Amino acid sequence: MAAYEQVFDPVGDSLGYSALLAALPLVTLFVLLGGARWKAWKASLVALAMALGVAVFGYGMPVGQAALAASEGAAFGLFPIIWIVLNALWIYKLTEITGWDAALRRAFGSLSDDQRVQAVIIAFCFGALLEALAGFGTPVAVSSVMLMAVGLRPMKAAAVSLVANTAPVAFGAIAVPITTLGKITGMDAADLGAMVGRQTPLLALFVPLLLVFMVDGRRGVRQVWPVALAGGFAFSAAQFVSANYLSYEIADIVAAFAGALAVIGLLRVWQPREVMAARTGTPVIAGGAAEDERFDAVQRRKQTGEGSALMAFAPYLIVVVLFAVATSGPVKSWLEAHSGWTYRWPGLDVTTPDGTPLSTMTFNLNVFNAAGTVLLLAGLLTAVLYRIRAGRTARAYGDTVRQFRWTIVTVTAVLALAYVMNLSGQTVTLGLLLAETGGAFALLSPVVGWLGVAVTGSDTSSNSLFGLLQVTAAEKTGISPYLLGAANTTGGVLGKMISPQNLAIAAAVVGLEGREGELFRKVVGWGLGLLVAVCLLVYLQSTPVLGWMVVR
């Protein structure tokens, strides 16, 4: 099959006209999602077709090479990304069918009767743990239901969950956004994680205060600020330490536990002067597959939340222990040595204009040390612990696949789109044009990531689309590529709360279908305000003022 040498100005040797052509796939995706309000999977497939057309007819990429680029991107979407998401959601499905999810909600409610405190514990701390394990809308869905169960009104529960799902997103799904960015750009993922870990903790300091304000306004901040600060500071410190000195993959897991322990420890010695009590009532049960009616204990848990808090939290403890073992010295070394297969994608042959083969043509099928495989093992242990029969366990997995089948299509299509744009040179063209803004691009860099997540609903997808663009701009402007790559990730987390995907999930689980526009208006101001702060932070990190914070 004919090889392909990248070209960055195919339209009349003009970078500007070429950039207009290269932007067509992204414009198509944005217009179909935001303007025409198409479903994400349909919009992604049409945008992928547009990217293939631009690559073949605009950039002169051979049809076979373009198809192979798309196939590698789709494969990367399935493994490791979908592999992680499905297994994490399956674990939660197992808690649903046995009723232990209701017991967990009851346990959270027993920590404090104050709704403002519960917002910090559930939406911020536990939501961060869910983001760490699964991401892709899972924490918004689960946290919204839990907040309703402890008394928050549906609209407020959904809005609080959306705003809380910010600081943890960069390290979500076992840090898949950062791992993907490293793969796309060829940069060291650990260093990228460290750089992100010098940005997102500053967001985490203030998010709990915002949640308290959203629940109870200024009075809430005056009365409950010690809880918000304790949780935010502990989370931030743990996220920074883990990302820079331990393992970026488990940064959110460590931070979620640190934040929760700090809040629980404070509540043992201090309580708010006034309590904003929750309404009483039967816990709200999230939709899921029905369990065998013979088990009376299961039915009681579903109806009342009866059960041991330790048993309810056991699946997440299993996950943490397994990841701790898998990332320890000897075990990690053995798994890396026997992880699977690394090979060049068959038939794909793309070089830069100077003849250098692209690193993204190498595919890593690291089955044994993949985060998704660890989660699969955790799910099997959970099934044994909860005494779920093998057939019921398998059906729960099938239910999970069917429930998220269109999400699978969306993720694979977006990754295929990203690979086609990257390997054909479309992304580099856009980056070269943006780089002409010079040093001012550092101020705009987070906005690019924010737009990507706002449209696709995924920091992983945004990094796939714009990661190489950021690196290209960095090379032309003299700014650290690690800074701009991290800025794309950090800016992206703030687009999560206004993405159509997340708004739809939040509205659906609290029974507000059709009111996504109202929910959008509730959260967009917070997202824009935090985005401005991140833009200023990144710009200062690109100057001598905060340049000492930059990795490499």
Side-chain angles (χ1 to χ4, degrees):
M1 186 178 297
Y4 172 65
E5 182 178 289
Q6 288 182 317
V7 56
F8 305 138
D9 54 355
V11 182
D13 296 327
S14 168
L15 190 61
Y17 288 129
S18 299
L20 290 176
L21 179 66
L24 284 179
L26 298 179
V27 172
T28 300
L29 182 62
F30 293 170
V31 170
L32 292 180
L33 276 176
R37 298 185 180 182
W38 281 29
K39 291 184 181 296
W41 68 271
K42 292 182 179 180
S44 300
L45 289 175
V46 172
L48 171 59
M50 178 65 73
L52 288 168
V54 171
V56 173
F57 299 108
Y59 280 71
M61 190 177 195
V63 174
Q65 293 295 329
L68 286 171
S71 67
E72 186 187 7
F76 185 68
L78 291 172
F79 186 92
I81 297 173
I82 292 299
W83 183 234
I84 291 172
V85 175
L86 283 182
N87 288 319
L89 292 172
W90 173 55
I91 292 174
Y92 182 71
K93 178 74 73 176
L94 295 178
T95 69
E96 275 191 323
I97 65 177
T98 54
W100 285 110
D101 63 322
L104 184 60
R105 288 196 297 272
R106 185 185 181 110
F108 279 128
S110 68
L111 294 174
S112 173
D113 292 331
D114 196 304
Q115 289 181 324
R116 301 163 299 187
V117 175
Q118 290 167 345
V120 175
I121 296 174
I122 295 174
F124 183 68
C125 298
F126 186 63
L129 181 61
L130 292 176
E131 180 67 37
L133 302 179
F136 295 91
T138 305
V140 171
V142 177
S143 296
S144 296
V145 171
M146 286 187 170
L147 289 175
M148 283 182 62
V150 298
L152 263 66
R153 294 179 179 177
M155 182 62 72
K156 186 173 288 187
V160 167
S161 297
L162 285 167
V163 174
N165 191 219
T166 49
V169 169
F171 297 97
I174 318 299
V176 163
I178 295 171
T179 302
T180 302
L181 182 60
K183 168 70 174 177
I184 290 289
T185 62
M187 291 192 292
D188 185 82
D191 285 343
L192 282 169
M195 189 64 238
V196 175
R198 302 178 189 193
Q199 295 173 345
T200 56
L202 296 175
L203 284 176
L205 280 173
F206 300 101
V207 169
L209 285 170
L210 293 182
L211 303 184
V212 170
F213 183 86
M214 292 175 70
V215 173
D216 194 32
R218 294 181 179 178
R219 182 186 68 172
V221 175
R222 286 197 306 270
Q223 295 180 356
V224 191
W225 65 266
V227 169
L229 286 184
F233 180 80
F235 184 99
S236 300
Q239 192 180 61
F240 168 79
V241 171
S242 182
N244 282 272
Y245 303 109
L246 299 177
S247 170
Y248 76 93
E249 292 98 333
I250 61 171
D252 274 353
I253 296 177
V254 175
F257 277 105
L261 290 174
V263 171
I264 293 171
L266 177 63
L267 291 175
R268 290 185 176 277
V269 298
W270 178 90
Q271 291 287 335
R273 182 175 300 177
E274 298 179 18
V275 175
M276 185 179 177
R279 300 193 306 270
T280 58
T282 303
V284 179
I285 306 298
E291 177 60 288
D292 193 323
E293 297 295 331
R294 292 176 301 170
F295 295 100
D296 292 338
V298 171
Q299 301 309 311
R300 288 197 301 273
R301 280 196 294 272
K302 288 185 175 182
Q303 293 171 5
T304 67
E306 173 185 307
S308 164
L310 181 60
M311 280 290 288
F313 205 72
Y316 306 103
L317 291 175
I318 291 173
V319 170
V320 172
V321 170
L322 288 180
F323 272 108
V325 172
T327 55
S328 65
V331 177
K332 182 179 181 180
S333 299
W334 187 88
L335 288 174
E336 288 178 348
H338 304 81
S339 61
W341 302 269
T342 298
Y343 55 90
R344 184 165 174 169
W345 195 253
L348 191 58
D349 189 1
V350 180
T351 64
T352 61
D354 62 6
T356 304
L358 297 181
S359 61
T360 49
M361 294 187 298
T362 301
F363 190 81
N364 296 314
L365 193 62
N366 54 334
V367 177
F368 305 115
N369 69 338
T373 305
V374 176
L375 291 172
L376 175 65
L377 178 58
L380 294 174
L381 292 176
T382 297
V384 172
L385 178 68
Y386 286 166
R387 299 180 181 179
I388 308 173
R389 294 176 180 176
R392 188 69 192 89
T393 302
R395 287 196 300 275
Y397 202 102
D399 291 341
T400 303
V401 174
R402 284 190 294 274
Q403 182 180 352
F404 290 91
R405 61 189 181 278
W406 298 121
T407 300
I408 295 172
V409 174
T410 300
V411 172
T412 53
V414 169
L415 266 296
L417 165 69
Y419 268 65
V420 171
M421 290 189 65
N422 289 347
L423 290 175
S424 66
Q426 297 172 55
T427 306
V428 176
T429 298
L430 294 171
L432 291 172
L433 183 67
L434 288 172
E436 294 185 355
T437 60
F441 182 69
L443 193 64
L444 303 174
S445 179
V447 179
V448 175
W450 177 80
L451 285 172
V453 177
V455 171
T456 67
S458 165
D459 209 17
T460 301
S461 298
S462 178
N463 280 350
S464 300
L465 288 171
F466 299 127
L468 192 58
L469 181 152
Q470 298 275 11
V471 172
T472 302
E475 291 173 350
K476 295 299 179 181
T477 58
I479 303 173
S480 166
Y482 284 90
L483 173 60
L484 296 191
N488 195 82
T489 306
T490 303
V493 308
L494 300 173
K496 192 85 167 178
M497 68 178 76
I498 63 167
S499 68
Q501 173 183 309
N502 262 22
L503 289 170
I505 290 173
V509 298
V510 299
L512 297 176
E513 294 92 342
R515 297 177 63 183
E516 291 86 358
E518 183 180 347
L519 185 56
F520 171 84
R521 291 190 293 273
K522 291 279 187 183
V523 300
V524 65
W526 299 115
L528 292 175
L530 292 172
L531 178 63
V532 170
V534 169
C535 289
L536 291 174
L537 171 64
V538 172
Y539 177 73
L540 291 175
Q541 287 178 330
S542 72
T543 69
V545 177
L546 294 180
W548 50 272
M549 297 178 66
V550 178
V551 174
R552 294 192 177 187

